[in-house]
Amino acid sequence: MEFRIADTFSSGLARLTGEEQKAVKTAAFDMQLNPANPGLQFHKLDRAKDKAFWSVRAGRDIRIIVHRSESSLLLCYVDHHDKAYQWAERRRIERHPSTGAMQIVELRELVREIEVFEPVAAPAAEPTGAAPALEGCTTEQLLSYGVPEEWVADLLKADEDELLQLAEHLPAEAAEAVLNLATGTVPTVPAAAPVGSDPFAHPDAQRRFRVVTDVEELKLALEYPWERWTVFLHPAQRDIVERSFNGPARVGGSAGTGKTVVALHRAARTWLGRPADVCC
């Protein structure tokens, strides 16, 4: 059975107290060693849209959300009971129909249900008449960049402020592409994975999911932040790391897009004696 861990699990773990983290790590080790262990107390989440979501008890009020199949176990998220269940009820894990990458997709209709509205007495804002931030983009174009289908319609009609809010709910590669398109940059369309290929092997999927092969690797994954222990480079990042430049080069991108990772890999190549230019 393949044992995987998601970046969202690492983020949730980091928000827990030290004692809570110890309990979660113990449960994670037990799952890797023996997923069929009856002491793990798997509980199927009937209210979740994704029927492969289960919870695992890790202490009195801590629950680990796992995506479970006959051949794999994926640690998706961890939090206190109610928050963990709410996270699972608002998400689905699926292969993107265009790129072929496995994604954690936030459900648009449930996002609408939990939006906080201003009191009725508040004066209504005058319509701005702002043009859509993605004016000229098409459904097919957004799908080619990994935007989940259920978010496309809202993105195409969103103004700049709305687009920034919507981007926060998208998978990383989709958010990056959308923000670039809104600023006039046309990103390179990623190659679609062949039909029948492993959706977890897609470069975009490897940004958020890792296969953990042994106890030592799992220990590192649980001990350090996601960005500390992952060494995978997205093809766009690797191109910059390995490219030769005629002088200084500037790498730009929004927060969380991997600029620091690129700089560190460039520095490592220089330190190892490989040709590399200074990248800033």
Side-chain angles (χ1 to χ4, degrees):
M1 173 177 284
E2 285 195 309
F3 190 87
R4 293 186 176 90
I5 185 170
D7 58 349
T8 46
F9 175 84
S10 297
S11 299
L13 181 65
R15 289 191 288 269
L16 300 179
T17 66
E19 288 301 313
E20 290 168 344
Q21 289 186 24
K22 289 180 182 178
V24 171
K25 292 174 184 179
T26 298
F29 287 131
D30 289 344
M31 274 187 275
Q32 188 188 40
L33 293 172
N34 181 15
N37 184 345
L40 290 171
Q41 301 183 48
F42 278 91
H43 173 71
K44 190 170 181 61
L45 302 184
D46 296 328
R47 295 183 60 184
K49 297 291 186 180
D50 191 322
K51 299 308 177 184
F53 274 143
W54 296 68
S55 76
V56 173
R57 186 185 181 98
R60 187 170 63 88
D61 189 47
I62 302 299
R63 298 294 182 271
I64 300 173
I65 303 300
V66 301
H67 197 261
R68 186 184 186 188
S69 71
E70 293 183 0
S71 59
S72 68
L73 193 67
L74 169 64
L75 304 186
C76 300
Y77 189 66
V78 62
D79 208 329
H80 292 269
H81 181 283
D82 291 349
K83 290 182 178 180
Y85 277 44
Q86 289 166 7
W87 184 93
E89 290 167 7
R90 297 199 304 268
R91 285 163 178 82
R92 184 172 62 240
I93 295 181
E94 62 186 14
R95 178 181 182 135
H96 190 274
S98 296
T99 67
M102 191 65 81
Q103 297 179 324
I104 298 178
V105 177
E106 191 167 357
L107 304 181
R108 181 62 178 140
E109 64 272 18
L110 292 180
V111 170
R112 286 197 182 98
E113 288 178 11
I114 63 171
E115 286 175 347
V116 177
F117 294 95
E118 294 295 326
V120 176
E126 292 295 326
T128 61
L134 296 178
E135 191 170 20
C137 291
T138 64
T139 296
E140 291 71 22
Q141 187 178 17
L142 293 186
L143 289 174
S144 71
Y145 289 116
V147 174
E149 289 180 294
E150 57 197 355
W151 290 84
V152 171
D154 288 316
L155 287 168
L156 288 175
K157 64 184 181 183
D159 61 26
E160 185 175 319
D161 290 337
E162 293 168 338
L163 189 75
L164 291 173
Q165 295 176 10
L166 292 172
E168 295 178 0
H169 299 279
L170 301 176
E173 70 277 11
E176 292 166 14
V178 163
L179 294 177
N180 277 319
L181 288 168
T183 57
T185 302
V186 180
T188 302
V189 177
V195 176
S197 63
D198 180 4
F200 285 102
H202 191 284
D204 286 331
Q206 290 185 34
R207 301 173 64 174
R208 49 186 163 264
F209 304 113
R210 296 289 180 277
V211 174
V212 181
T213 57
D214 54 44
V215 172
E216 285 304 314
E217 191 171 338
L218 179 58
K219 182 178 179 181
L220 289 175
L222 299 178
E223 203 63 40
Y224 296 104
W226 184 264
E227 64 272 12
R228 286 279 303 277
W229 69 273
T230 181
V231 295
F232 173 80
L233 285 175
H234 186 273
Q237 292 174 306
R238 184 169 298 281
D239 176 64
I240 296 172
V241 169
E242 298 179 352
R243 187 188 305 177
S244 294
F245 296 93
N246 296 321
R250 175 185 296 175
V251 175
S254 56
T257 55
K259 300 184 295 295
T260 302
V261 172
V262 167
L264 289 173
H265 277 268
R266 292 281 297 189
R269 284 173 61 83
T270 302
W271 183 74
L272 291 171
R274 297 172 182 167
D277 301 300
V278 176
C279 186
C280 57

